[in-house]
Amino acid sequence: MKHLLAKWGLLMLCTQPTSGQAELTTLRSIAFGSCAKQYTPQPIWDSVIAGNPDLFIFLGDNIYGDTTDMTKLRAKYQQLGAIPGYRKLRAHCPIQATWDDHDYGLNDAGSEYSKKAESQQVFLDFFGVSAESPRRKRSGIYHAQTYGKPGQRIQVILLDTRYFRSPLNNIGRPKVRTEGRTGPYGITKDPDATILGEEQWQWLEDQLLQPAELRIVASSIQVVSDQHGWECWGTMPSERKRLYDLLNKTTANGVVVLSGDRHHAEISRIEGKLPYPLYDITASGLNQRKGFSNEHNPHRIGTWYREEHFGMILIDWETDNPEITFQIRDIKGRPVIQHRTLLSAISP
Protein backbone atom coordinates (compact mmCIF):
# COMPACT_ATOMS: atom_id res chain seq x y z
CA MET A 1 0.00 0.00 0.00
CA LYS A 2 2.82 2.42 0.85
CA HIS A 3 4.36 1.74 -2.54
CA LEU A 4 1.07 2.53 -4.28
CA LEU A 5 0.63 5.81 -2.41
CA ALA A 6 4.21 6.85 -3.03
CA LYS A 7 3.80 6.09 -6.71
CA TRP A 8 0.81 8.41 -6.85
CA GLY A 9 2.48 11.09 -4.77
CA LEU A 10 -0.45 10.80 -2.35
CA LEU A 11 1.03 10.37 1.11
CA MET A 12 -1.95 12.41 2.33
CA LEU A 13 -4.62 10.73 0.28
CA CYS A 14 -7.75 11.85 2.09
CA THR A 15 -8.75 15.15 0.46
CA GLN A 16 -12.43 15.05 1.33
CA PRO A 17 -13.71 15.43 4.89
CA THR A 18 -16.14 12.93 6.29
CA SER A 19 -19.72 14.12 6.74
CA GLY A 20 -19.12 14.46 10.47
CA GLN A 21 -16.07 16.63 9.91
CA ALA A 22 -17.93 18.75 7.37
CA GLU A 23 -20.81 19.38 9.74
CA LEU A 24 -18.36 20.89 12.22
CA THR A 25 -16.46 22.99 9.69
CA THR A 26 -17.53 26.61 9.23
CA LEU A 27 -16.27 27.87 5.89
CA ARG A 28 -15.19 31.51 5.85
CA SER A 29 -12.93 31.40 2.81
CA ILE A 30 -13.16 29.20 -0.26
CA ALA A 31 -10.50 29.20 -2.98
CA PHE A 32 -11.16 27.81 -6.42
CA GLY A 33 -9.68 27.55 -9.89
CA SER A 34 -9.23 25.50 -13.04
CA CYS A 35 -6.97 24.89 -16.02
CA ALA A 36 -3.60 23.73 -14.69
CA LYS A 37 -1.16 22.05 -17.05
CA GLN A 38 0.70 19.51 -14.96
CA TYR A 39 3.86 19.64 -17.09
CA THR A 40 4.54 23.36 -16.59
CA PRO A 41 5.37 25.21 -13.33
CA GLN A 42 2.52 26.03 -10.93
CA PRO A 43 3.86 28.82 -8.70
CA ILE A 44 0.37 30.07 -7.91
CA TRP A 45 -0.13 27.56 -5.09
CA ASP A 46 1.97 29.67 -2.72
CA SER A 47 -0.49 32.55 -3.11
CA VAL A 48 -3.50 30.25 -2.78
CA ILE A 49 -2.16 28.90 0.51
CA ALA A 50 -1.26 32.41 1.72
CA GLY A 51 -4.95 33.26 1.34
CA ASN A 52 -5.63 30.65 4.06
CA PRO A 53 -8.65 28.97 2.45
CA ASP A 54 -10.81 26.57 4.43
CA LEU A 55 -11.53 24.66 1.22
CA PHE A 56 -10.21 24.52 -2.34
CA ILE A 57 -12.48 23.62 -5.27
CA PHE A 58 -11.07 22.37 -8.57
CA LEU A 59 -13.42 23.34 -11.41
CA GLY A 60 -11.95 21.11 -14.10
CA ASP A 61 -9.00 20.77 -16.46
CA ASN A 62 -7.16 19.95 -13.26
CA ILE A 63 -4.70 18.18 -15.52
CA TYR A 64 -4.43 18.00 -19.28
CA GLY A 65 -4.87 14.29 -19.89
CA ASP A 66 -6.32 14.06 -23.40
CA THR A 67 -5.92 10.33 -23.86
CA THR A 68 -7.79 7.04 -23.95
CA ASP A 69 -4.82 5.29 -22.31
CA MET A 70 -5.51 5.06 -18.57
CA THR A 71 -1.86 4.32 -17.78
CA LYS A 72 -0.93 7.63 -19.35
CA LEU A 73 -3.81 9.39 -17.61
CA ARG A 74 -2.69 8.10 -14.20
CA ALA A 75 0.87 9.21 -14.92
CA LYS A 76 -0.35 12.73 -15.70
CA TYR A 77 -2.27 12.89 -12.42
CA GLN A 78 0.90 11.68 -10.74
CA GLN A 79 2.70 14.70 -12.20
CA LEU A 80 0.19 17.00 -10.49
CA GLY A 81 0.43 15.03 -7.25
CA ALA A 82 4.21 15.47 -7.21
CA ILE A 83 4.18 19.27 -7.55
CA PRO A 84 5.41 20.71 -4.20
CA GLY A 85 2.90 23.56 -4.16
CA TYR A 86 -0.01 21.22 -4.74
CA ARG A 87 1.22 18.91 -1.99
CA LYS A 88 1.33 21.89 0.38
CA LEU A 89 -2.22 22.83 -0.57
CA ARG A 90 -3.39 19.29 0.10
CA ALA A 91 -1.86 19.49 3.56
CA HIS A 92 -3.39 22.92 4.20
CA CYS A 93 -7.08 22.33 3.46
CA PRO A 94 -9.60 19.85 2.05
CA ILE A 95 -9.97 19.70 -1.72
CA GLN A 96 -13.17 19.10 -3.66
CA ALA A 97 -13.13 18.61 -7.42
CA THR A 98 -15.09 18.13 -10.56
CA TRP A 99 -13.68 17.68 -14.04
CA ASP A 100 -13.82 19.34 -17.45
CA ASP A 101 -12.88 18.00 -20.87
CA HIS A 102 -9.09 17.68 -20.65
CA ASP A 103 -9.01 15.73 -17.40
CA TYR A 104 -12.11 13.84 -18.50
CA GLY A 105 -10.00 12.64 -21.39
CA LEU A 106 -10.66 14.47 -24.66
CA ASN A 107 -11.01 18.07 -25.81
CA ASP A 108 -14.66 19.25 -25.72
CA ALA A 109 -15.81 15.66 -25.20
CA GLY A 110 -19.14 14.54 -23.82
CA SER A 111 -20.94 11.23 -23.52
CA GLU A 112 -19.24 9.86 -26.64
CA TYR A 113 -15.84 9.57 -24.91
CA SER A 114 -15.07 5.85 -24.99
CA LYS A 115 -13.15 5.63 -21.69
CA LYS A 116 -15.40 7.70 -19.44
CA ALA A 117 -16.09 4.90 -16.95
CA GLU A 118 -12.40 4.12 -16.62
CA SER A 119 -11.47 7.80 -16.40
CA GLN A 120 -13.99 8.26 -13.61
CA GLN A 121 -12.21 5.71 -11.45
CA VAL A 122 -8.80 7.28 -12.15
CA PHE A 123 -10.20 10.68 -11.11
CA LEU A 124 -11.72 9.30 -7.91
CA ASP A 125 -8.52 7.44 -7.06
CA PHE A 126 -6.43 10.58 -7.37
CA PHE A 127 -8.73 12.70 -5.24
CA GLY A 128 -8.93 10.08 -2.52
CA VAL A 129 -12.63 9.27 -2.78
CA SER A 130 -13.44 6.31 -0.55
CA ALA A 131 -14.57 2.95 -1.86
CA GLU A 132 -17.88 3.43 -0.03
CA SER A 133 -18.71 6.74 -1.72
CA PRO A 134 -21.77 6.83 -4.02
CA ARG A 135 -19.44 8.30 -6.63
CA ARG A 136 -17.80 4.87 -6.92
CA LYS A 137 -21.09 3.15 -7.65
CA ARG A 138 -22.81 5.41 -10.17
CA SER A 139 -22.00 6.89 -13.55
CA GLY A 140 -20.58 10.40 -13.35
CA ILE A 141 -18.56 12.19 -10.68
CA TYR A 142 -21.21 14.61 -9.39
CA HIS A 143 -21.18 15.13 -5.64
CA ALA A 144 -22.48 17.39 -2.86
CA GLN A 145 -21.22 18.21 0.61
CA THR A 146 -22.63 20.55 3.26
CA TYR A 147 -20.35 22.36 5.71
CA GLY A 148 -21.13 24.26 8.89
CA LYS A 149 -23.81 24.45 11.56
CA PRO A 150 -27.36 25.79 10.99
CA GLY A 151 -27.21 29.47 10.19
CA GLN A 152 -23.77 29.07 8.58
CA ARG A 153 -24.29 26.12 6.26
CA ILE A 154 -22.61 26.10 2.87
CA GLN A 155 -23.62 23.41 0.41
CA VAL A 156 -21.01 22.64 -2.27
CA ILE A 157 -22.60 21.03 -5.32
CA LEU A 158 -20.18 19.62 -7.92
CA LEU A 159 -21.84 19.06 -11.29
CA ASP A 160 -20.58 16.68 -13.96
CA THR A 161 -21.03 18.45 -17.31
CA ARG A 162 -19.17 15.77 -19.29
CA TYR A 163 -20.28 12.20 -18.67
CA PHE A 164 -23.84 12.58 -20.02
CA ARG A 165 -23.52 15.60 -22.31
CA SER A 166 -25.01 15.36 -25.79
CA PRO A 167 -22.97 16.30 -28.89
CA LEU A 168 -22.31 19.97 -29.54
CA ASN A 169 -23.39 21.79 -32.70
CA ASN A 170 -20.14 22.72 -34.42
CA ILE A 171 -20.96 25.50 -36.90
CA GLY A 172 -17.36 26.62 -37.31
CA ARG A 173 -15.53 29.67 -36.08
CA PRO A 174 -16.57 32.98 -37.67
CA LYS A 175 -14.35 34.25 -40.46
CA VAL A 176 -14.56 37.79 -39.10
CA ARG A 177 -14.34 37.84 -35.32
CA THR A 178 -16.21 40.97 -34.49
CA GLU A 179 -17.10 41.60 -30.86
CA GLY A 180 -19.20 38.63 -29.86
CA ARG A 181 -18.79 35.02 -30.96
CA THR A 182 -15.24 33.76 -31.47
CA GLY A 183 -15.85 30.04 -30.91
CA PRO A 184 -17.22 27.28 -33.16
CA TYR A 185 -20.36 26.18 -31.32
CA GLY A 186 -23.91 27.24 -32.00
CA ILE A 187 -27.17 26.32 -30.31
CA THR A 188 -27.78 22.57 -30.32
CA LYS A 189 -30.77 21.67 -32.48
CA ASP A 190 -31.58 18.34 -30.82
CA PRO A 191 -34.63 18.95 -28.56
CA ASP A 192 -33.57 16.05 -26.35
CA ALA A 193 -29.99 17.26 -25.89
CA THR A 194 -28.76 17.13 -22.31
CA ILE A 195 -25.86 18.40 -20.25
CA LEU A 196 -26.47 16.59 -16.95
CA GLY A 197 -28.45 13.51 -17.93
CA GLU A 198 -31.72 12.51 -16.27
CA GLU A 199 -30.23 10.71 -13.26
CA GLN A 200 -28.06 13.69 -12.36
CA TRP A 201 -30.99 16.07 -12.83
CA GLN A 202 -33.05 14.10 -10.31
CA TRP A 203 -30.12 14.02 -7.91
CA LEU A 204 -29.67 17.78 -8.26
CA GLU A 205 -33.30 18.43 -7.38
CA ASP A 206 -32.89 16.37 -4.21
CA GLN A 207 -29.76 18.33 -3.29
CA LEU A 208 -31.39 21.72 -3.80
CA LEU A 209 -34.07 20.75 -1.29
CA GLN A 210 -31.47 20.21 1.42
CA PRO A 211 -31.13 23.02 4.01
CA ALA A 212 -28.31 25.51 3.50
CA GLU A 213 -27.76 29.24 3.77
CA LEU A 214 -25.33 29.48 0.83
CA ARG A 215 -25.02 27.08 -2.11
CA ILE A 216 -21.91 26.89 -4.29
CA VAL A 217 -22.73 25.20 -7.61
CA ALA A 218 -19.53 24.19 -9.41
CA SER A 219 -20.02 23.88 -13.17
CA SER A 220 -16.94 23.32 -15.31
CA ILE A 221 -18.49 25.43 -18.08
CA GLN A 222 -20.08 28.86 -17.81
CA VAL A 223 -23.78 29.15 -17.05
CA VAL A 224 -24.45 32.87 -17.57
CA SER A 225 -22.04 34.03 -20.30
CA ASP A 226 -23.28 32.64 -23.62
CA GLN A 227 -22.24 34.78 -26.62
CA HIS A 228 -18.66 33.61 -27.12
CA GLY A 229 -19.41 30.45 -29.11
CA TRP A 230 -17.34 28.13 -26.95
CA GLU A 231 -18.70 25.50 -24.59
CA CYS A 232 -21.29 26.85 -22.17
CA TRP A 233 -24.81 26.14 -20.96
CA GLY A 234 -26.05 28.62 -23.54
CA THR A 235 -25.39 26.14 -26.37
CA MET A 236 -28.25 24.07 -24.94
CA PRO A 237 -30.76 26.73 -23.89
CA SER A 238 -33.43 24.22 -22.91
CA GLU A 239 -31.01 22.70 -20.40
CA ARG A 240 -30.12 26.08 -18.97
CA LYS A 241 -33.81 26.95 -18.71
CA ARG A 242 -34.31 23.66 -16.90
CA LEU A 243 -31.60 24.71 -14.44
CA TYR A 244 -33.24 28.07 -13.80
CA ASP A 245 -36.66 26.42 -13.53
CA LEU A 246 -35.33 23.89 -11.03
CA LEU A 247 -33.79 26.61 -8.88
CA ASN A 248 -37.17 28.35 -8.85
CA LYS A 249 -39.15 25.17 -8.25
CA THR A 250 -37.04 24.19 -5.24
CA THR A 251 -36.92 27.81 -3.97
CA ALA A 252 -33.20 27.21 -3.55
CA ASN A 253 -31.66 30.14 -1.71
CA GLY A 254 -28.16 31.58 -1.83
CA VAL A 255 -27.08 29.98 -5.11
CA VAL A 256 -23.73 31.10 -6.58
CA VAL A 257 -22.16 29.44 -9.63
CA LEU A 258 -18.43 28.83 -10.01
CA SER A 259 -17.15 28.00 -13.50
CA GLY A 260 -13.89 27.43 -15.37
CA ASP A 261 -12.77 26.34 -18.84
CA ARG A 262 -12.23 29.75 -20.48
CA HIS A 263 -8.58 30.63 -19.66
CA HIS A 264 -9.67 33.98 -18.28
CA ALA A 265 -11.47 35.30 -15.22
CA GLU A 266 -14.67 37.32 -14.96
CA ILE A 267 -17.73 37.78 -12.77
CA SER A 268 -21.10 37.57 -14.51
CA ARG A 269 -24.51 38.41 -13.10
CA ILE A 270 -27.95 37.82 -14.57
CA GLU A 271 -31.24 39.10 -13.21
CA GLY A 272 -34.83 38.12 -13.86
CA LYS A 273 -34.26 34.37 -14.02
CA LEU A 274 -34.49 33.81 -10.24
CA PRO A 275 -36.05 35.87 -7.46
CA TYR A 276 -32.52 37.19 -6.86
CA PRO A 277 -29.45 37.90 -9.03
CA LEU A 278 -27.47 34.84 -10.08
CA TYR A 279 -23.69 35.27 -10.01
CA ASP A 280 -21.31 33.14 -12.10
CA ILE A 281 -17.67 33.58 -11.07
CA THR A 282 -15.29 32.21 -13.69
CA ALA A 283 -11.74 31.37 -12.56
CA SER A 284 -9.82 29.67 -15.32
CA GLY A 285 -6.08 29.87 -15.47
CA LEU A 286 -4.12 28.50 -12.52
CA ASN A 287 -1.14 28.39 -14.83
CA GLN A 288 -2.80 29.40 -18.11
CA ARG A 289 -3.22 32.81 -19.67
CA LYS A 290 -5.27 34.09 -22.56
CA GLY A 291 -4.15 36.28 -25.44
CA PHE A 292 -6.19 39.12 -26.83
CA SER A 293 -9.87 38.37 -27.39
CA ASN A 294 -12.81 40.60 -28.17
CA GLU A 295 -15.68 38.36 -27.10
CA HIS A 296 -18.74 40.04 -25.67
CA ASN A 297 -20.42 39.32 -22.34
CA PRO A 298 -23.20 41.78 -21.49
CA HIS A 299 -23.54 40.16 -18.06
CA ARG A 300 -19.94 40.84 -17.04
CA ILE A 301 -19.41 43.00 -13.96
CA GLY A 302 -16.45 45.27 -14.57
CA THR A 303 -13.48 43.89 -16.47
CA TRP A 304 -11.97 40.48 -17.10
CA TYR A 305 -8.49 39.16 -16.33
CA ARG A 306 -6.28 37.13 -18.69
CA GLU A 307 -3.19 36.27 -16.62
CA GLU A 308 -2.71 33.40 -14.15
CA HIS A 309 -5.19 33.64 -11.28
CA PHE A 310 -7.47 31.90 -8.80
CA GLY A 311 -10.79 32.78 -7.21
CA MET A 312 -11.80 33.40 -3.59
CA ILE A 313 -15.13 33.64 -1.81
CA LEU A 314 -15.00 35.28 1.62
CA ILE A 315 -17.99 35.01 3.96
CA ASP A 316 -18.38 37.21 7.03
CA TRP A 317 -20.66 35.20 9.31
CA GLU A 318 -20.23 37.60 12.23
CA THR A 319 -23.01 39.96 11.15
CA ASP A 320 -26.77 39.49 11.11
CA ASN A 321 -26.71 39.82 7.32
CA PRO A 322 -23.50 38.08 6.21
CA GLU A 323 -21.40 39.85 3.60
CA ILE A 324 -20.07 37.74 0.73
CA THR A 325 -17.05 38.88 -1.27
CA PHE A 326 -16.18 37.40 -4.65
CA GLN A 327 -12.57 37.89 -5.73
CA ILE A 328 -10.21 37.03 -8.55
CA ARG A 329 -6.62 37.12 -7.30
CA ASP A 330 -3.50 37.28 -9.43
CA ILE A 331 -0.44 35.04 -9.21
CA LYS A 332 0.85 37.08 -6.25
CA GLY A 333 -2.47 36.82 -4.41
CA ARG A 334 -3.59 40.41 -5.06
CA PRO A 335 -7.29 41.01 -5.83
CA VAL A 336 -7.71 42.16 -9.43
CA ILE A 337 -11.52 41.77 -9.64
CA GLN A 338 -13.83 42.07 -6.66
CA HIS A 339 -17.55 42.29 -5.98
CA ARG A 340 -19.49 42.23 -2.73
CA THR A 341 -23.06 41.27 -1.99
CA LEU A 342 -25.15 40.35 1.03
CA LEU A 343 -26.58 36.94 1.76
CA SER A 344 -30.04 38.50 1.90
CA ALA A 345 -29.53 39.83 -1.64
CA ILE A 346 -29.16 36.32 -3.08
CA SER A 347 -32.05 34.75 -1.21
CA PRO A 348 -35.73 34.65 -2.22
Side-chain angles (χ1 to χ4, degrees):
M1 185 64 176
K2 284 185 177 180
H3 174 72
L4 177 61
L5 295 179
K7 179 181 178 181
W8 275 78
L10 293 175
L11 295 177
M12 297 181 64
L13 184 62
C14 184
T15 59
Q16 298 190 63
T18 66
S19 59
Q21 289 174 320
E23 289 168 2
L24 297 174
T25 303
T26 297
L27 300 182
R28 293 180 170 83
S29 59
I30 302 170
F32 54 97
S34 64
C35 301
K37 289 186 176 179
Q38 72 282 357
Y39 49 83
T40 58
Q42 297 185 1
I44 201 165
W45 295 123
D46 288 339
S47 295
V48 174
I49 295 166
N52 195 29
D54 299 317
L55 176 71
F56 184 86
I57 301 175
F58 267 122
L59 298 170
D61 291 341
N62 312 318
I63 63 164
Y64 282 66
D66 299 294
T67 182
T68 56
D69 185 329
M70 294 301 103
T71 299
K72 291 181 179 179
L73 188 64
R74 287 183 184 274
K76 291 177 179 182
Y77 273 112
Q78 184 180 347
Q79 281 184 280
L80 172 59
I83 292 173
Y86 175 73
R87 293 171 68 87
K88 292 177 183 177
L89 174 73
R90 206 174 59 232
H92 177 83
C93 68
I95 296 172
Q96 295 280 7
T98 187
W99 58 18
D100 198 35
D101 52 340
H102 294 289
D103 42 352
Y104 179 57
L106 184 67
N107 183 50
D108 292 354
S111 61
E112 75 281 2
Y113 176 56
S114 62
K115 294 293 184 178
K116 58 186 180 181
E118 294 86 347
S119 179
Q120 174 174 339
Q121 297 307 314
V122 174
F123 173 97
L124 298 176
D125 286 346
F126 178 77
F127 286 108
V129 177
S130 71
E132 293 73 32
S133 171
R135 300 172 95 184
R136 293 285 189 179
K137 302 174 177 63
R138 65 189 178 208
S139 298
I141 62 166
Y142 53 93
H143 176 66
Q145 184 78 61
T146 299
Y147 300 80
K149 61 185 179 181
Q152 299 180 348
R153 291 168 297 193
I154 297 181
Q155 183 186 36
V156 176
I157 299 175
L158 305 168
L159 299 181
D160 184 337
T161 65
R162 292 294 160 187
Y163 202 100
F164 309 97
R165 199 214 66 209
S166 301
L168 299 168
N169 179 22
N170 193 331
I171 61 176
R173 300 182 70 175
K175 294 180 180 179
V176 179
R177 297 175 194 171
T178 56
E179 185 177 17
R181 186 173 73 88
T182 60
Y185 300 120
I187 292 175
T188 301
K189 298 179 180 179
D190 180 0
D192 298 321
T194 186
I195 292 177
L196 300 186
E198 198 57 37
E199 181 179 335
Q200 187 176 181
W201 273 116
Q202 295 304 315
W203 169 87
L204 179 58
E205 180 170 356
D206 291 341
Q207 294 304 315
L208 292 172
L209 292 171
Q210 301 302 310
E213 281 65 55
L214 180 64
R215 303 175 197 274
I216 306 298
V217 177
S219 167
S220 69
I221 56 174
Q222 290 180 309
V223 171
V224 172
S225 180
D226 60 5
Q227 296 192 18
H228 45 72
W230 299 98
E231 289 188 278
C232 64
W233 282 72
T235 63
M236 298 185 187
S238 61
E239 283 287 273
R240 185 169 62 176
K241 182 179 183 299
R242 184 173 182 177
L243 177 63
Y244 293 154
D245 289 347
L246 183 59
L247 294 173
N248 282 302
K249 174 185 175 182
T250 57
T251 64
N253 59 296
V255 174
V256 173
V257 174
L258 306 183
S259 59
D261 180 57
R262 302 303 325 288
H263 291 193
H264 71 254
E266 61 186 343
I267 299 176
S268 303
R269 178 180 62 198
I270 192 167
E271 302 194 41
K273 302 300 182 181
L274 307 181
Y276 53 88
L278 179 65
Y279 289 91
D280 183 346
I281 300 96
T282 302
S284 171
L286 289 165
N287 71 345
Q288 300 298 297
R289 60 178 64 183
K290 189 171 192 171
F292 174 77
S293 179
N294 60 350
E295 69 185 45
H296 185 49
N297 176 9
H299 304 293
R300 185 185 300 129
I301 299 173
T303 187
W304 58 352
Y305 189 71
R306 300 181 178 92
E307 304 297 319
E308 296 95 327
H309 64 273
F310 63 99
M312 288 286 290
I313 297 180
L314 307 174
I315 308 101
D316 181 2
W317 293 113
E318 306 310 315
T319 62
D320 292 337
N321 191 3
E323 184 178 77
I324 303 169
T325 303
F326 309 128
Q327 292 181 335
I328 298 298
R329 297 188 181 185
D330 68 12
I331 196 168
K332 294 186 177 180
R334 301 170 299 196
V336 291
I337 303 174
Q338 180 168 284
H339 184 78
R340 290 189 177 96
T341 189
L342 299 174
L343 183 59
S344 62
I346 54 173
S347 299

